[in-house]
Amino acid sequence: TLNWGSALLMLEKVNIAILEDNIIFLQRISKILRDWERVECVFECSTNYEFECIMKSEKIDILLADINLSEGNGIDSIDLFSQSCVDGISIVISSQADSATILRAISMGAVGYLHKEDSSLAITGAIDQALAGGSPISPNIANRIFTIIQKVPLLRATEASREPKPHVLLTKRETEVLSVLAKGLSYGETAEVLKMSKTTVPVHVRRIYKKLQSNNRTEAVYEARLLGLLD
């Protein structure tokens, strides 16, 4: 069943914003969309701030967002767009495809997730599918989602029987570091916010990764929230 917003979008031309800091990829997608008869206007932006400015001055129906941006995380714009535009549609187009990122993007409002390296990538078809109420997802992303779903019962059973143990808890300082990093700040910015040496931050990060059995920031934040160590 389509909601009224989606139904209207299917009848009207749409305005699309592309959030992508790879200029070549941005221009490629932009050209495809500008030549599509269903598109009214295409807005290009390479930072979250640029998208926020465009969103304040223009009516945006669809957001195509990359995740890894030089100045931050595209999921922040997806979250902002979802809260500001109830009928808006967000679709991720990214090369980042770890489980934590996929889950966070979907939880923040993304209805589709396309991998940049997907040889079957057909952006207009994906938008058509989203406008019809569907969820365009690249095959490898869909596979990851199913893997996550299959693990959920096991995770819940494990959590239910797990007692908090000292060795999996972060120190107060480690929690502060991870909390700041979770907001997308760099190591240098984190050091400045917490008034510590820049060389100390990586030390805390290595300990955090080891305790949470994580390989990167996104996984560490996801595991910490799963354990209730972060809000």
Side-chain angles (χ1 to χ4, degrees):
T1 302
L2 299 180
N3 59 42
W4 283 107
S6 295
L8 287 173
L9 285 177
M10 290 184 70
L11 297 174
E12 302 173 355
K13 287 194 173 185
V14 294
N15 292 336
I16 300 178
I18 309 172
L19 176 58
E20 171 63 65
D21 61 359
N22 182 314
I23 301 302
I24 295 177
F25 191 78
L26 173 63
Q27 292 177 344
R28 172 193 163 196
I29 297 298
S30 182
K31 183 179 185 308
I32 292 173
L33 294 177
R34 291 182 194 281
D35 292 338
W36 192 27
E37 67 276 4
R38 295 198 63 177
V39 174
E40 183 70 33
C41 293
V42 175
F43 301 94
E44 301 176 359
C45 41
S46 58
T47 67
N48 287 316
Y49 176 72
E50 287 180 6
F51 172 70
E52 184 177 354
C53 292
I54 290 174
M55 192 179 68
K56 289 178 179 178
S57 60
E58 304 289 345
K59 179 183 179 297
I60 304 299
D61 301 305
I62 298 170
L63 167 63
L64 305 178
D66 189 10
I67 299 299
N68 287 321
L69 303 174
S70 58
E71 55 80 54
N73 193 313
I75 294 179
D76 293 336
S77 285
I78 292 174
D79 184 23
L80 176 64
F81 186 52
S82 297
Q83 293 184 44
S84 304
C85 185
V86 178
D87 293 327
I89 292 174
S90 297
I91 300 174
V92 174
I93 305 181
S94 178
S95 57
Q96 186 167 338
D98 60 279
S99 300
T101 298
I102 295 171
L103 283 177
R104 185 172 175 229
I106 294 174
S107 68
M108 289 301 175
V111 302
Y113 204 117
L114 305 178
H115 198 285
K116 284 185 177 179
E117 296 179 4
D118 181 3
S119 59
S120 64
L121 179 62
I123 189 61
T124 56
I127 295 174
D128 265 333
Q129 185 179 347
L131 287 172
S135 297
I137 299 176
S138 294
N140 59 335
I141 301 297
N143 183 59
R144 285 182 178 273
I145 292 175
F146 275 108
T147 300
I148 294 169
I149 293 173
Q150 290 167 350
K151 288 182 178 180
V152 167
L154 177 60
L155 285 172
R156 287 179 177 170
T158 301
E159 289 171 16
S161 62
R162 179 168 51 201
E163 294 280 332
K165 299 177 182 179
H167 71 275
V168 300
L169 298 180
L170 304 180
T171 65
K172 180 180 178 181
R173 201 53 164 168
E174 288 168 350
T175 301
E176 290 174 344
V177 170
L178 187 56
S179 179
V180 174
L181 290 174
K183 297 177 181 177
L185 276 67
S186 65
Y187 284 8
E189 292 169 335
T190 298
E192 186 175 341
V193 169
L194 297 178
K195 302 186 184 308
M196 63 169 61
S197 168
K198 292 182 179 181
T199 59
T200 304
V201 175
V203 175
H204 285 301
V205 171
R206 284 195 293 273
R207 290 173 180 167
I208 291 170
Y209 285 2
K210 183 176 180 180
K211 289 183 178 182
L212 298 178
Q213 298 181 9
S214 303
N215 298 311
N216 55 53
R217 181 188 310 198
T218 302
E219 290 181 7
V221 171
Y222 174 75
E223 292 296 335
R225 285 177 174 155
L226 193 65
L227 292 168
L229 303 179
L230 287 181
D231 295 331

